[in-house]
Amino acid sequence: CFEHWSARVLGLGLSVGRVEETREKGPDGILRRELVEVLTPGTAEGRLLCASQCAEGDAHGVCALDALAGRILVGEFRDDPEGTALSAACTAFSPSEVVLECGVVRPGAVAALRQSSRGAALTRLPEDPRREAASMCSGDLGSRREAAAEFTRRIGERYFRDGVQPGRRGASPSDLCLGKPLASAALACLVRYLEDLGIAADLLPCCQLEPLPAPGACPREMYLDDRALRHLHLLEGSEGTEAGSLVHLLDGTASTAGGRLLREWVRRPLRRPEDIEGRLDAADHLAMKPKACQEYQRAISATPDFEGLLPKCLRALSAAAGQGVGRGE
């Protein structure tokens, strides 16, 4: 029942709190109730995007959390006054929630994110009294880099165990955000939001940090900005849904992972002729064996989304290990 009604409320772009009854009684003799979980559109569906902006220019920092895949993408890039690159990054990631801190992003960038994240909830955090993210967005470059270095060092030790696990996948916050104060500010916004929700300690250690490439940085793929994606109806039809789009027309995938990969291919088409020919040759080879393809699709259609299950398994193992340490095992 909770899952049903929470899904309906989350679908309206609202947050849901889960309150459970404890065994402790208050002074009035009534059993106490406490808030044990907070769900937001971004944390429930696993796709959350945070952004920052330089106070003296149009450069932006972006931090995108894919909780189901256990990935945090962080990067910064120069942009035009209309926020074209920021809109393209938002459209490409397709978040279910956009989180912004007041005073860190200007109204023009907010409008660009609101337009490019159709259907996503927009959460505005009040200004941080510590001015952690704001200190990385304003002032001279040297002071902003110092603030970013101190922040990434602290969260690296607290959540990502920098220097403790040499074999850990992904980059450390200090290495990934070195010399990138705007990227650090966007990451600070994400960490603050997850800490406010009380899930940072459980979620962040199970995620790996990866660089978010600037739009158009890959030489093998064509860069399509937000306007091109919308006007060509590649990902969304005229009604703002997937129906009527190119990806809806092409999607014959049998697994969740296959659908994600197809969406990425449509969003970032190949540029080099040899790569295009290679993909067409592979498609022709499969088209010549329709029976084998049908059997394979039938076999994988019932398989779970392993990419989404892995982070959950890691969190469960981490919790079990913590309990074992607490018992002295």
Side-chain angles (χ1 to χ4, degrees):
C1 185
F2 173 79
E3 288 75 14
H4 170 76
W5 287 106
S6 63
R8 296 188 63 175
V9 174
L10 289 167
L12 299 175
L14 303 175
S15 299
V16 176
R18 182 169 190 151
V19 178
E20 293 184 357
E21 191 174 78
T22 69
R23 296 183 179 181
E24 300 178 6
K25 291 185 178 181
D28 52 4
I30 300 177
L31 290 174
R32 294 179 54 197
R33 294 176 176 84
E34 61 182 26
L35 181 67
V36 297
E37 183 181 20
V38 176
L39 296 175
T40 73
T43 57
E45 297 185 19
R47 300 184 70 82
L48 192 151
L49 184 139
C50 301
S52 63
Q53 186 174 20
C54 181
E56 291 81 25
D58 296 309
H60 291 104
V62 173
C63 178
L65 166 67
D66 187 346
L68 296 182
R71 303 166 64 208
I72 299 176
L73 306 173
V74 185
E76 68 176 51
F77 42 82
R78 294 188 177 278
D79 208 346
D80 56 31
E82 290 75 30
T84 302
L86 180 63
S87 297
C90 184
T91 301
F93 185 69
S94 187
S96 49
E97 183 177 10
V98 176
V99 179
L100 304 173
E101 182 177 313
C102 293
V104 174
V105 180
R106 297 197 295 272
V110 175
L113 286 169
R114 191 187 300 273
Q115 182 178 8
S116 58
S117 60
R118 297 181 180 179
L122 180 62
T123 301
R124 302 294 298 270
L125 300 180
E127 289 191 34
D128 185 1
R130 300 171 299 175
R131 291 185 53 80
E132 196 161 48
S135 65
M136 307 178 211
C137 298
S138 60
D140 63 273
L141 183 59
S143 63
R144 292 195 288 123
R145 285 179 172 173
E146 288 180 7
E150 172 60 25
F151 164 74
T152 54
R153 181 198 61 78
R154 179 173 59 80
I155 66 161
E157 294 175 353
R158 182 174 184 180
Y159 295 120
F160 299 96
R161 302 182 184 180
D162 281 7
V164 177
Q165 296 178 333
R168 178 186 175 85
R169 296 191 307 158
S172 70
S174 299
D175 293 338
L176 186 61
C177 299
L178 181 63
K180 300 177 180 178
L182 294 179
S184 302
L187 180 59
C189 181
L190 172 68
V191 172
R192 178 193 172 192
Y193 188 49
L194 297 181
E195 286 178 341
D196 289 346
L197 295 176
I199 59 176
D202 294 328
L203 181 59
L204 291 176
C206 299
C207 294
Q208 67 178 35
L209 290 164
E210 300 177 10
L212 176 71
C218 182
R220 297 183 55 186
E221 298 168 345
M222 186 181 301
Y223 169 54
L224 300 177
D225 62 16
D226 178 55
R227 295 183 182 89
L229 293 173
R230 289 202 317 268
H231 293 164
L232 295 175
H233 298 308
L234 298 183
L235 304 178
E236 295 181 352
S238 57
E239 300 296 327
T241 63
E242 192 172 285
S245 65
L246 178 62
V247 71
H248 182 262
L249 177 66
L250 297 177
D251 194 359
T253 58
S255 66
T256 304
R260 280 197 298 264
L261 180 59
L262 175 64
R263 188 179 179 89
E264 286 296 303
W265 283 358
V266 171
R267 183 179 64 83
R268 299 184 299 187
L270 295 174
R271 175 183 293 176
R272 301 191 305 191
E274 57 269 28
D275 295 332
I276 297 173
E277 291 295 334
R279 185 173 289 178
L280 290 175
D281 289 343
D284 289 340
H285 177 74
L286 293 174
M288 295 173 61
K289 301 179 180 181
K291 186 175 181 180
C293 289
Q294 291 174 2
E295 292 177 354
Y296 180 69
Q297 284 195 309
R298 190 180 305 112
I300 67 172
S301 60
T303 58
D305 184 5
F306 291 107
E307 187 178 13
L309 287 176
L310 283 175
K312 297 179 181 179
C313 294
L314 287 174
R315 286 196 289 272
L317 290 173
S318 177
Q323 292 174 0
V325 171
R327 294 193 300 268
E329 297 177 0

